Amino acid sequence: MEFRIKKLDWYIFKKFILTFVIALILIIGIVIIFDISEKIDNFISHQAPLKEIIFEYYLNFIPQFVNMFSPLFVFISVIFFTSRLAANSEIIAILSSGVSYHRMMVPYMVAAAIIAAMSMGLGLYVIPRANVHRLAFEGQYIKQRSTNVRNVHYQIAPGSFVFVESFSSWSNTAYRFTLEQVEGNRVVSKTSAESAVWDSTSGSWKLKKYFTRNYADGLGDKVVSGAEKDTVIALTIDDFYRNKSTVETLTIGELNELVRTQKMRGDVSVKYSLIEKHTRMALPFSAFILTVMGVSLSSRKKRGGTGWNIAIGIALAFSYILFLRFSQMFVYTDLLPPGIALWLPNVIFVIITAFLYRMAPK
């Protein structure tokens, strides 16, 4: 009996993984074909080399696509091959041989754990590095990077604040630049400049037409002005380019460091970083949720065949993916903190899955 159970485990596990890989290959091929047809005009007009299209763009596009739609791939795989097992009365034979419904789930969960670990590794380490090359390719051949930043107010260090009225990405220049040093509730120093130009060689800002006032307790304020001055502060031009896309290029360690820096600065773009972080952590758990849901929906033999099971499975998988994306709106509108909003789809679908799993053996 024990040998038969081990053989059964391997049989289910192999079916799961094989179906998952085949679904990946087929859907990735279809998506790449549609993506090429959509972007072919950009490739031609910007004279993108074929080698870069393949190795810099599509080779780095595939990991992100696989991870983003892994819930759909998992669900389709489980629904498809479990429905076939049910249609061939194999599940009835498994349960009749003394294997419980819970024991039958073990190979499913082992396969789901492997897929979840793969998704976690891709999201935390592989995809960020791939996005560096993909976004660079997009910026050169598909859509040019543009920045229109206004009214930036950062705390770059405890008691040190920077205000910039506008920033030009073309000249790497910050206009109406102000740097304030605060101790307690009192401003002790304030430097204003008509503009501040980023010097990439020295990693400093070159202030133009600057004016510095050091405040004293009495009337003896010290004032210094000049035409040009170099200053080094904890602010670079990369801080002006931080957006939803750039956080996708950071590994989990770099992302955590950015979150700490942005919270200290009071940077409103911290929401992009938090959304990215919690999405990477929450998405891999969908493999467990949708595996159990898929087995619960498709393990019973039906007269209509596998068609309805696959249709229901795809609808639920898409609803999960859409809900995961839609939950980001709760963060943008400040209705929920990112930690709750991005995990909410998992919580709701766990409840749905628990109900379906409880009803499945009946």
Side-chain angles (χ1 to χ4, degrees), residues 307-348:
W308 277 108
N309 289 339
I310 295 175
I312 294 173
I314 292 175
L316 286 172
F318 268 117
S319 66
Y320 174 83
I321 296 172
L322 290 175
F323 192 12
L324 186 63
R325 296 298 169 184
F326 181 77
S327 63
Q328 297 179 5
M329 297 303 300
F330 297 142
V331 183
Y332 294 135
T333 56
D334 296 323
L335 291 177
L336 291 173
I340 296 177
L342 274 303
W343 283 89
L344 186 60
N346 281 352
V347 173
I348 292 177

mmCIF file of all heavy atoms in Angstrom, residues 307-348:
data_model
loop_
_atom_site.group_PDB
_atom_site.id
_atom_site.type_symbol
_atom_site.label_atom_id
_atom_site.label_comp_id
_atom_site.label_asym_id
_atom_site.label_seq_id
_atom_site.Cartn_x
_atom_site.Cartn_y
_atom_site.Cartn_z
ATOM 1 N N GLY A 307 -15.028 21.133 -19.781
ATOM 2 C CA GLY A 307 -15.216 22.485 -20.304
ATOM 3 C C GLY A 307 -15.639 23.487 -19.247
ATOM 4 O O GLY A 307 -15.061 24.570 -19.126
ATOM 5 N N TRP A 308 -16.669 23.115 -18.462
ATOM 6 C CA TRP A 308 -17.159 24.031 -17.433
ATOM 7 C C TRP A 308 -16.116 24.253 -16.342
ATOM 8 O O TRP A 308 -15.962 25.365 -15.827
ATOM 9 C CB TRP A 308 -18.453 23.488 -16.812
ATOM 10 C CG TRP A 308 -19.675 23.824 -17.622
ATOM 11 C CD1 TRP A 308 -20.422 22.971 -18.368
ATOM 12 C CD2 TRP A 308 -20.254 25.112 -17.786
ATOM 13 N NE1 TRP A 308 -21.444 23.639 -18.991
ATOM 14 C CE2 TRP A 308 -21.377 24.961 -18.646
ATOM 15 C CE3 TRP A 308 -19.957 26.375 -17.293
ATOM 16 C CZ2 TRP A 308 -22.181 26.033 -19.018
ATOM 17 C CZ3 TRP A 308 -20.761 27.451 -17.667
ATOM 18 C CH2 TRP A 308 -21.858 27.273 -18.509
ATOM 19 N N ASN A 309 -15.402 23.202 -15.985
ATOM 20 C CA ASN A 309 -14.362 23.352 -14.952
ATOM 21 C C ASN A 309 -13.282 24.341 -15.383
ATOM 22 O O ASN A 309 -12.846 25.198 -14.611
ATOM 23 C CB ASN A 309 -13.719 21.992 -14.649
ATOM 24 C CG ASN A 309 -14.663 21.069 -13.901
ATOM 25 O OD1 ASN A 309 -15.615 21.522 -13.278
ATOM 26 N ND2 ASN A 309 -14.395 19.781 -13.972
ATOM 27 N N ILE A 310 -12.845 24.214 -16.642
ATOM 28 C CA ILE A 310 -11.810 25.110 -17.154
ATOM 29 C C ILE A 310 -12.327 26.543 -17.223
ATOM 30 O O ILE A 310 -11.624 27.491 -16.865
ATOM 31 C CB ILE A 310 -11.330 24.631 -18.535
ATOM 32 C CG1 ILE A 310 -10.633 23.270 -18.403
ATOM 33 C CG2 ILE A 310 -10.396 25.651 -19.168
ATOM 34 C CD1 ILE A 310 -10.235 22.665 -19.732
ATOM 35 N N ALA A 311 -13.580 26.712 -17.669
ATOM 36 C CA ALA A 311 -14.166 28.050 -17.765
ATOM 37 C C ALA A 311 -14.263 28.704 -16.392
ATOM 38 O O ALA A 311 -13.904 29.881 -16.212
ATOM 39 C CB ALA A 311 -15.549 27.978 -18.416
ATOM 40 N N ILE A 312 -14.751 27.942 -15.409
ATOM 41 C CA ILE A 312 -14.865 28.475 -14.049
ATOM 42 C C ILE A 312 -13.483 28.779 -13.476
ATOM 43 O O ILE A 312 -13.264 29.808 -12.824
ATOM 44 C CB ILE A 312 -15.617 27.479 -13.142
ATOM 45 C CG1 ILE A 312 -17.072 27.342 -13.606
ATOM 46 C CG2 ILE A 312 -15.574 27.944 -11.682
ATOM 47 C CD1 ILE A 312 -17.832 26.248 -12.881
ATOM 48 N N GLY A 313 -12.539 27.884 -13.741
ATOM 49 C CA GLY A 313 -11.184 28.082 -13.244
ATOM 50 C C GLY A 313 -10.537 29.341 -13.793
ATOM 51 O O GLY A 313 -9.930 30.118 -13.060
ATOM 52 N N ILE A 314 -10.673 29.551 -15.105
ATOM 53 C CA ILE A 314 -10.088 30.743 -15.714
ATOM 54 C C ILE A 314 -10.748 32.004 -15.165
ATOM 55 O O ILE A 314 -10.077 33.005 -14.876
ATOM 56 C CB ILE A 314 -10.226 30.683 -17.250
ATOM 57 C CG1 ILE A 314 -9.342 29.550 -17.806
ATOM 58 C CG2 ILE A 314 -9.855 32.009 -17.888
ATOM 59 C CD1 ILE A 314 -9.502 29.345 -19.301
ATOM 60 N N ALA A 315 -12.069 31.963 -14.998
ATOM 61 C CA ALA A 315 -12.783 33.133 -14.471
ATOM 62 C C ALA A 315 -12.315 33.472 -13.058
ATOM 63 O O ALA A 315 -12.070 34.643 -12.731
ATOM 64 C CB ALA A 315 -14.289 32.865 -14.481
ATOM 65 N N LEU A 316 -12.156 32.462 -12.205
ATOM 66 C CA LEU A 316 -11.710 32.718 -10.833
ATOM 67 C C LEU A 316 -10.262 33.168 -10.794
ATOM 68 O O LEU A 316 -9.899 34.067 -10.004
ATOM 69 C CB LEU A 316 -11.888 31.453 -9.986
ATOM 70 C CG LEU A 316 -13.330 31.112 -9.597
ATOM 71 C CD1 LEU A 316 -13.398 29.754 -8.926
ATOM 72 C CD2 LEU A 316 -13.900 32.178 -8.664
ATOM 73 N N ALA A 317 -9.414 32.580 -11.644
ATOM 74 C CA ALA A 317 -8.007 32.989 -11.667
ATOM 75 C C ALA A 317 -7.869 34.433 -12.123
ATOM 76 O O ALA A 317 -7.106 35.216 -11.545
ATOM 77 C CB ALA A 317 -7.215 32.060 -12.584
ATOM 78 N N PHE A 318 -8.619 34.806 -13.161
ATOM 79 C CA PHE A 318 -8.570 36.191 -13.628
ATOM 80 C C PHE A 318 -9.131 37.149 -12.578
ATOM 81 O O PHE A 318 -8.620 38.271 -12.423
ATOM 82 C CB PHE A 318 -9.347 36.338 -14.938
ATOM 83 C CG PHE A 318 -8.502 36.163 -16.160
ATOM 84 C CD1 PHE A 318 -8.729 35.122 -17.046
ATOM 85 C CD2 PHE A 318 -7.460 37.041 -16.432
ATOM 86 C CE1 PHE A 318 -7.952 34.955 -18.173
ATOM 87 C CE2 PHE A 318 -6.667 36.885 -17.559
ATOM 88 C CZ PHE A 318 -6.917 35.845 -18.433
ATOM 89 N N SER A 319 -10.167 36.718 -11.882
ATOM 90 C CA SER A 319 -10.730 37.587 -10.835
ATOM 91 C C SER A 319 -9.718 37.806 -9.722
ATOM 92 O O SER A 319 -9.622 38.906 -9.160
ATOM 93 C CB SER A 319 -12.019 36.983 -10.279
ATOM 94 O OG SER A 319 -11.758 35.764 -9.581
ATOM 95 N N TYR A 320 -8.929 36.776 -9.415
ATOM 96 C CA TYR A 320 -7.891 36.934 -8.399
ATOM 97 C C TYR A 320 -6.819 37.921 -8.863
ATOM 98 O O TYR A 320 -6.420 38.821 -8.118
ATOM 99 C CB TYR A 320 -7.245 35.578 -8.103
ATOM 100 C CG TYR A 320 -6.059 35.672 -7.158
ATOM 101 C CD1 TYR A 320 -6.244 35.714 -5.785
ATOM 102 C CD2 TYR A 320 -4.761 35.734 -7.654
ATOM 103 C CE1 TYR A 320 -5.159 35.818 -4.923
ATOM 104 C CE2 TYR A 320 -3.674 35.832 -6.813
ATOM 105 C CZ TYR A 320 -3.882 35.870 -5.443
ATOM 106 O OH TYR A 320 -2.805 35.985 -4.596
ATOM 107 N N ILE A 321 -6.362 37.771 -10.106
ATOM 108 C CA ILE A 321 -5.329 38.664 -10.631
ATOM 109 C C ILE A 321 -5.836 40.102 -10.694
ATOM 110 O O ILE A 321 -5.139 41.050 -10.310
ATOM 111 C CB ILE A 321 -4.873 38.193 -12.022
ATOM 112 C CG1 ILE A 321 -4.199 36.816 -11.915
ATOM 113 C CG2 ILE A 321 -3.915 39.191 -12.654
ATOM 114 C CD1 ILE A 321 -3.883 36.185 -13.252
ATOM 115 N N LEU A 322 -7.080 40.281 -11.169
ATOM 116 C CA LEU A 322 -7.651 41.626 -11.244
ATOM 117 C C LEU A 322 -7.824 42.229 -9.859
ATOM 118 O O LEU A 322 -7.582 43.426 -9.653
ATOM 119 C CB LEU A 322 -9.003 41.574 -11.973
ATOM 120 C CG LEU A 322 -8.949 41.289 -13.473
ATOM 121 C CD1 LEU A 322 -10.355 41.148 -14.042
ATOM 122 C CD2 LEU A 322 -8.208 42.412 -14.201
ATOM 123 N N PHE A 323 -8.252 41.411 -8.906
ATOM 124 C CA PHE A 323 -8.423 41.897 -7.540
ATOM 125 C C PHE A 323 -7.084 42.320 -6.949
ATOM 126 O O PHE A 323 -6.976 43.329 -6.246
ATOM 127 C CB PHE A 323 -9.071 40.813 -6.681
ATOM 128 C CG PHE A 323 -9.546 41.295 -5.333
ATOM 129 C CD1 PHE A 323 -9.618 42.642 -5.030
ATOM 130 C CD2 PHE A 323 -9.922 40.380 -4.359
ATOM 131 C CE1 PHE A 323 -10.056 43.080 -3.787
ATOM 132 C CE2 PHE A 323 -10.354 40.805 -3.116
ATOM 133 C CZ PHE A 323 -10.416 42.159 -2.841
ATOM 134 N N LEU A 324 -6.038 41.536 -7.256
ATOM 135 C CA LEU A 324 -4.708 41.878 -6.758
ATOM 136 C C LEU A 324 -4.249 43.216 -7.325
ATOM 137 O O LEU A 324 -3.657 44.037 -6.618
ATOM 138 C CB LEU A 324 -3.715 40.778 -7.130
ATOM 139 C CG LEU A 324 -2.294 40.917 -6.562
ATOM 140 C CD1 LEU A 324 -2.326 40.862 -5.042
ATOM 141 C CD2 LEU A 324 -1.388 39.832 -7.112
ATOM 142 N N ARG A 325 -4.529 43.470 -8.605
ATOM 143 C CA ARG A 325 -4.174 44.744 -9.219
ATOM 144 C C ARG A 325 -5.076 45.867 -8.718
ATOM 145 O O ARG A 325 -4.619 46.986 -8.461
ATOM 146 C CB ARG A 325 -4.270 44.637 -10.745
ATOM 147 C CG ARG A 325 -3.273 43.662 -11.352
ATOM 148 C CD ARG A 325 -1.847 44.101 -11.073
ATOM 149 N NE ARG A 325 -0.880 43.075 -11.416
ATOM 150 C CZ ARG A 325 0.413 43.180 -11.196
ATOM 151 N NH1 ARG A 325 0.887 44.267 -10.602
ATOM 152 N NH2 ARG A 325 1.241 42.205 -11.517
ATOM 153 N N PHE A 326 -6.358 45.571 -8.591
ATOM 154 C CA PHE A 326 -7.304 46.597 -8.158
ATOM 155 C C PHE A 326 -7.042 47.012 -6.713
ATOM 156 O O PHE A 326 -7.296 48.163 -6.336
ATOM 157 C CB PHE A 326 -8.740 46.070 -8.299
ATOM 158 C CG PHE A 326 -9.794 47.073 -7.907
ATOM 159 C CD1 PHE A 326 -10.123 48.111 -8.761
ATOM 160 C CD2 PHE A 326 -10.447 46.976 -6.683
ATOM 161 C CE1 PHE A 326 -11.086 49.036 -8.404
ATOM 162 C CE2 PHE A 326 -11.415 47.902 -6.325
ATOM 163 C CZ PHE A 326 -11.740 48.932 -7.196
ATOM 164 N N SER A 327 -6.520 46.096 -5.908
ATOM 165 C CA SER A 327 -6.255 46.425 -4.506
ATOM 166 C C SER A 327 -5.209 47.515 -4.367
ATOM 167 O O SER A 327 -5.130 48.177 -3.329
ATOM 168 C CB SER A 327 -5.810 45.168 -3.744
ATOM 169 O OG SER A 327 -4.585 44.669 -4.257
ATOM 170 N N GLN A 328 -4.395 47.718 -5.415
ATOM 171 C CA GLN A 328 -3.423 48.815 -5.371
ATOM 172 C C GLN A 328 -4.119 50.166 -5.316
ATOM 173 O O GLN A 328 -3.563 51.130 -4.775
ATOM 174 C CB GLN A 328 -2.508 48.743 -6.600
ATOM 175 C CG GLN A 328 -1.675 47.481 -6.673
ATOM 176 C CD GLN A 328 -0.795 47.439 -7.915
ATOM 177 O OE1 GLN A 328 -0.736 48.404 -8.689
ATOM 178 N NE2 GLN A 328 -0.104 46.320 -8.120
ATOM 179 N N MET A 329 -5.332 50.244 -5.863
ATOM 180 C CA MET A 329 -6.063 51.511 -5.835
ATOM 181 C C MET A 329 -6.406 51.918 -4.412
ATOM 182 O O MET A 329 -6.533 53.109 -4.117
ATOM 183 C CB MET A 329 -7.340 51.389 -6.675
ATOM 184 C CG MET A 329 -7.092 51.120 -8.146
ATOM 185 S SD MET A 329 -6.046 52.376 -8.919
ATOM 186 C CE MET A 329 -7.015 53.841 -8.661
ATOM 187 N N PHE A 330 -6.566 50.935 -3.519
ATOM 188 C CA PHE A 330 -6.824 51.275 -2.122
ATOM 189 C C PHE A 330 -5.648 52.026 -1.506
ATOM 190 O O PHE A 330 -5.823 52.845 -0.606
ATOM 191 C CB PHE A 330 -7.106 49.997 -1.311
ATOM 192 C CG PHE A 330 -8.335 49.256 -1.751
ATOM 193 C CD1 PHE A 330 -8.351 47.865 -1.775
ATOM 194 C CD2 PHE A 330 -9.475 49.924 -2.143
ATOM 195 C CE1 PHE A 330 -9.485 47.165 -2.183
ATOM 196 C CE2 PHE A 330 -10.612 49.244 -2.549
ATOM 197 C CZ PHE A 330 -10.614 47.869 -2.570
ATOM 198 N N VAL A 331 -4.440 51.734 -2.012
ATOM 199 C CA VAL A 331 -3.244 52.425 -1.514
ATOM 200 C C VAL A 331 -3.144 53.813 -2.125
ATOM 201 O O VAL A 331 -2.884 54.798 -1.423
ATOM 202 C CB VAL A 331 -1.976 51.620 -1.844
ATOM 203 C CG1 VAL A 331 -0.740 52.301 -1.249
ATOM 204 C CG2 VAL A 331 -2.084 50.198 -1.310
ATOM 205 N N TYR A 332 -3.370 53.914 -3.436
ATOM 206 C CA TYR A 332 -3.276 55.211 -4.110
ATOM 207 C C TYR A 332 -4.284 56.216 -3.556
ATOM 208 O O TYR A 332 -4.001 57.408 -3.490
ATOM 209 C CB TYR A 332 -3.502 55.047 -5.618
ATOM 210 C CG TYR A 332 -2.428 54.251 -6.309
ATOM 211 C CD1 TYR A 332 -2.744 53.253 -7.228
ATOM 212 C CD2 TYR A 332 -1.085 54.494 -6.065
ATOM 213 C CE1 TYR A 332 -1.760 52.527 -7.873
ATOM 214 C CE2 TYR A 332 -0.091 53.772 -6.700
ATOM 215 C CZ TYR A 332 -0.440 52.788 -7.594
ATOM 216 O OH TYR A 332 0.542 52.063 -8.226
ATOM 217 N N THR A 333 -5.459 55.721 -3.177
ATOM 218 C CA THR A 333 -6.503 56.610 -2.639
ATOM 219 C C THR A 333 -6.456 56.727 -1.119
ATOM 220 O O THR A 333 -7.352 57.327 -0.524
ATOM 221 C CB THR A 333 -7.888 56.107 -3.069
ATOM 222 O OG1 THR A 333 -8.055 54.738 -2.646
ATOM 223 C CG2 THR A 333 -8.046 56.177 -4.580
ATOM 224 N N ASP A 334 -5.430 56.114 -0.501
ATOM 225 C CA ASP A 334 -5.228 56.198 0.950
ATOM 226 C C ASP A 334 -6.380 55.595 1.761
ATOM 227 O O ASP A 334 -6.625 55.985 2.899
ATOM 228 C CB ASP A 334 -5.015 57.662 1.389
ATOM 229 C CG ASP A 334 -3.748 58.252 0.797
ATOM 230 O OD1 ASP A 334 -2.758 57.510 0.687
ATOM 231 O OD2 ASP A 334 -3.752 59.447 0.441
ATOM 232 N N LEU A 335 -7.071 54.613 1.170
ATOM 233 C CA LEU A 335 -8.134 53.930 1.908
ATOM 234 C C LEU A 335 -7.573 52.864 2.839
ATOM 235 O O LEU A 335 -8.105 52.645 3.933
ATOM 236 C CB LEU A 335 -9.131 53.296 0.935
ATOM 237 C CG LEU A 335 -10.002 54.249 0.122
ATOM 238 C CD1 LEU A 335 -10.886 53.469 -0.840
ATOM 239 C CD2 LEU A 335 -10.872 55.110 1.056
ATOM 240 N N LEU A 336 -6.502 52.183 2.400
ATOM 241 C CA LEU A 336 -5.899 51.120 3.197
ATOM 242 C C LEU A 336 -4.384 51.222 3.109
ATOM 243 O O LEU A 336 -3.848 51.639 2.076
ATOM 244 C CB LEU A 336 -6.347 49.737 2.686
ATOM 245 C CG LEU A 336 -7.806 49.344 2.884
ATOM 246 C CD1 LEU A 336 -8.082 48.021 2.164
ATOM 247 C CD2 LEU A 336 -8.162 49.225 4.353
ATOM 248 N N PRO A 337 -3.678 50.825 4.158
ATOM 249 C CA PRO A 337 -2.213 50.762 4.069
ATOM 250 C C PRO A 337 -1.801 49.620 3.143
ATOM 251 O O PRO A 337 -2.538 48.642 2.978
ATOM 252 C CB PRO A 337 -1.779 50.496 5.515
ATOM 253 C CG PRO A 337 -2.976 49.894 6.175
ATOM 254 C CD PRO A 337 -4.175 50.503 5.501
ATOM 255 N N PRO A 338 -0.621 49.705 2.522
ATOM 256 C CA PRO A 338 -0.197 48.684 1.553
ATOM 257 C C PRO A 338 -0.179 47.275 2.119
ATOM 258 O O PRO A 338 -0.547 46.317 1.427
ATOM 259 C CB PRO A 338 1.215 49.140 1.164
ATOM 260 C CG PRO A 338 1.233 50.601 1.439
ATOM 261 C CD PRO A 338 0.349 50.813 2.628
ATOM 262 N N GLY A 339 0.256 47.111 3.379
ATOM 263 C CA GLY A 339 0.336 45.780 3.965
ATOM 264 C C GLY A 339 -0.999 45.077 4.037
ATOM 265 O O GLY A 339 -1.076 43.851 3.948
ATOM 266 N N ILE A 340 -2.077 45.839 4.192
ATOM 267 C CA ILE A 340 -3.426 45.254 4.246
ATOM 268 C C ILE A 340 -4.009 45.120 2.849
ATOM 269 O O ILE A 340 -4.571 44.078 2.484
ATOM 270 C CB ILE A 340 -4.345 46.106 5.139
ATOM 271 C CG1 ILE A 340 -3.846 46.087 6.587
ATOM 272 C CG2 ILE A 340 -5.788 45.605 5.066
ATOM 273 C CD1 ILE A 340 -4.652 46.948 7.537
ATOM 274 N N ALA A 341 -3.877 46.171 2.043
ATOM 275 C CA ALA A 341 -4.496 46.190 0.714
ATOM 276 C C ALA A 341 -3.966 45.076 -0.181
ATOM 277 O O ALA A 341 -4.738 44.394 -0.858
ATOM 278 C CB ALA A 341 -4.265 47.552 0.061
ATOM 279 N N LEU A 342 -2.653 44.861 -0.187
ATOM 280 C CA LEU A 342 -2.068 43.874 -1.103
ATOM 281 C C LEU A 342 -2.254 42.443 -0.625
ATOM 282 O O LEU A 342 -2.150 41.505 -1.425
ATOM 283 C CB LEU A 342 -0.585 44.175 -1.303
ATOM 284 C CG LEU A 342 -0.211 45.185 -2.406
ATOM 285 C CD1 LEU A 342 -0.747 44.734 -3.759
ATOM 286 C CD2 LEU A 342 -0.750 46.576 -2.093
ATOM 287 N N TRP A 343 -2.505 42.242 0.654
ATOM 288 C CA TRP A 343 -2.761 40.898 1.166
ATOM 289 C C TRP A 343 -4.254 40.584 1.230
ATOM 290 O O TRP A 343 -4.638 39.442 1.478
ATOM 291 C CB TRP A 343 -2.140 40.728 2.551
ATOM 292 C CG TRP A 343 -0.662 40.532 2.502
ATOM 293 C CD1 TRP A 343 0.301 41.502 2.519
ATOM 294 C CD2 TRP A 343 0.039 39.287 2.394
ATOM 295 N NE1 TRP A 343 1.552 40.940 2.436
ATOM 296 C CE2 TRP A 343 1.425 39.588 2.359
ATOM 297 C CE3 TRP A 343 -0.356 37.956 2.330
ATOM 298 C CZ2 TRP A 343 2.407 38.603 2.265
ATOM 299 C CZ3 TRP A 343 0.620 36.971 2.228
ATOM 300 C CH2 TRP A 343 1.978 37.297 2.194
ATOM 301 N N LEU A 344 -5.102 41.582 1.009
ATOM 302 C CA LEU A 344 -6.546 41.378 1.087
ATOM 303 C C LEU A 344 -7.061 40.336 0.094
ATOM 304 O O LEU A 344 -7.894 39.498 0.462
ATOM 305 C CB LEU A 344 -7.264 42.724 0.879
ATOM 306 C CG LEU A 344 -8.782 42.722 1.081
ATOM 307 C CD1 LEU A 344 -9.138 42.300 2.499
ATOM 308 C CD2 LEU A 344 -9.358 44.111 0.767
ATOM 309 N N PRO A 345 -6.601 40.328 -1.172
ATOM 310 C CA PRO A 345 -7.066 39.275 -2.093
ATOM 311 C C PRO A 345 -6.751 37.872 -1.587
ATOM 312 O O PRO A 345 -7.589 36.964 -1.715
ATOM 313 C CB PRO A 345 -6.303 39.576 -3.390
ATOM 314 C CG PRO A 345 -6.004 41.033 -3.312
ATOM 315 C CD PRO A 345 -5.750 41.315 -1.867
ATOM 316 N N ASN A 346 -5.564 37.681 -0.998
ATOM 317 C CA ASN A 346 -5.219 36.366 -0.457
ATOM 318 C C ASN A 346 -6.154 35.970 0.670
ATOM 319 O O ASN A 346 -6.598 34.820 0.753
ATOM 320 C CB ASN A 346 -3.774 36.368 0.047
ATOM 321 C CG ASN A 346 -2.764 36.218 -1.075
ATOM 322 O OD1 ASN A 346 -3.130 35.958 -2.217
ATOM 323 N ND2 ASN A 346 -1.498 36.393 -0.761
ATOM 324 N N VAL A 347 -6.456 36.910 1.547
ATOM 325 C CA VAL A 347 -7.332 36.619 2.685
ATOM 326 C C VAL A 347 -8.727 36.221 2.199
ATOM 327 O O VAL A 347 -9.307 35.214 2.652
ATOM 328 C CB VAL A 347 -7.415 37.840 3.626
ATOM 329 C CG1 VAL A 347 -8.459 37.598 4.721
ATOM 330 C CG2 VAL A 347 -6.053 38.135 4.251
ATOM 331 N N ILE A 348 -9.276 36.989 1.263
ATOM 332 C CA ILE A 348 -10.633 36.708 0.767
ATOM 333 C C ILE A 348 -10.671 35.380 0.027
ATOM 334 O O ILE A 348 -11.589 34.559 0.222
ATOM 335 C CB ILE A 348 -11.109 37.855 -0.146
ATOM 336 C CG1 ILE A 348 -11.313 39.127 0.678
ATOM 337 C CG2 ILE A 348 -12.401 37.479 -0.872
ATOM 338 C CD1 ILE A 348 -11.708 40.339 -0.127
#
